[in-house]
Amino acid sequence: MAEFMELRMKPGTWQAHGIPEKGCWIRRSRLEEMLAGGGEYDADELIYSLMDWLDVTDDPLPALATLSRLLDRHYPPDGRTHATCHFADETGGDRRFLIGAVDKASALVTWQRDNLIFALGQASSAERGRIVIAAPRPLPLNAAQRILGLGMQNFMMEPFDSFQGAITLSGATGNFYAAENGEVTTCYWPHGLGIREQNGQAVDCLHELHPLPSAGWLAPNQIAMLVGIAAGYAKW
């Protein structure tokens, strides 16, 4: 956290440019790069830095509120409820995942820090091998990058199943240590969200999780932009 600092802007920057006057945290090293390049920045740079901040802050709610304001101002919902997200880079790598509603009563994975869930993923019924993502709140940088990584369509010359990949990731040793360190983890819920198996019995532990909002989930285009910004597809 000591690597970050909060930017404070002149009054009126929100009305004029959609840049919050406070609450934008950025790595000192990234700010130095910006200043060395003439000090130019835009909303995508601030979004990236806030996603980075979400990975480390012990108080994520203010950053989530600022990120939501930035998304609604610069990438307002476009009316779609589901979408296909396809990324391709200069090396020929293709990443593909779906965005839409998930069934919280069926097997799924979550990306969360402690008990705060940022995104949910489930096997798509519309496209074999693909994962469908829903996000109740803006994504930390680590979660967005993990989601993009699961979008690969082939691995070792074989088709790659994104949802099974997420399940495997949830059981990895590195994921365990991430949880121990209070970092973003991928969690597998085979019986549905908030249902844990204990001594062969299904136990409801939903009360242990931070409540999901009943409305205001991210629109598909907002999720896509967060993943794209995290991956560096957007230029600032």
Side-chain angles (χ1 to χ4, degrees), residues 39-206:
E40 295 185 4
Y41 65 92
D42 61 14
D44 286 358
E45 176 64 58
L46 299 180
I47 288 171
Y48 180 97
S49 294
L50 275 169
M51 294 172 73
D52 194 13
W53 173 244
L54 275 177
D55 277 331
V56 300
T57 178
D58 293 328
D59 186 17
L61 297 185
L64 286 169
T66 303
L67 262 174
S68 293
R69 291 182 69 205
L70 281 165
L71 286 172
D72 288 341
R73 174 73 177 261
H74 298 280
Y75 301 106
D78 60 8
R80 286 180 291 183
T81 58
H82 60 277
T84 298
C85 196
H86 183 196
F87 290 93
D89 58 38
E90 64 276 7
T91 65
D94 269 354
R95 310 278 177 172
R96 183 183 177 93
F97 59 91
L98 308 183
I99 303 172
V102 299
D103 179 6
K104 294 188 289 292
S106 299
L108 51 76
V109 294
T110 56
W111 289 270
Q112 59 188 82
R113 276 190 69 195
D114 193 18
N115 67 346
L116 184 64
I117 295 173
F118 297 101
L120 305 90
Q122 197 163 62
S124 170
S125 59
E127 188 172 337
R128 183 180 178 87
R130 297 299 88 204
I131 194 170
V132 58
I133 303 294
R137 45 184 62 94
L139 306 173
L141 193 62
N142 186 285
Q145 292 170 341
R146 287 190 184 204
I147 289 169
L148 182 64
L150 289 168
M152 62 181 175
Q153 300 182 78
N154 296 283
F155 180 71
M156 301 293 287
M157 306 298 291
E158 295 290 336
F160 179 75
D161 188 309
S162 294
F163 184 60
Q164 289 301 318
I167 293 173
T168 300
L169 183 62
S170 72
T173 302
N175 196 61
F176 171 79
Y177 287 120
E180 289 288 297
N181 293 330
E183 301 170 8
V184 170
T185 55
T186 306
C187 302
Y188 178 42
W189 301 90
H191 306 292
L193 183 64
I195 304 297
R196 181 188 299 125
E197 187 171 321
Q198 186 173 325
N199 299 322
Q201 299 292 322
V203 178
D204 187 345
C205 61
L206 190 62

Side-chain angles (χ1 to χ4, degrees), residues 11-29:
T13 55
W14 176 253
Q15 288 80 6
H17 307 292
I19 302 299
E21 295 170 11
K22 61 180 181 178
C24 289
W25 291 83
I26 187 171
R27 285 187 185 269
R28 294 178 185 271
S29 58

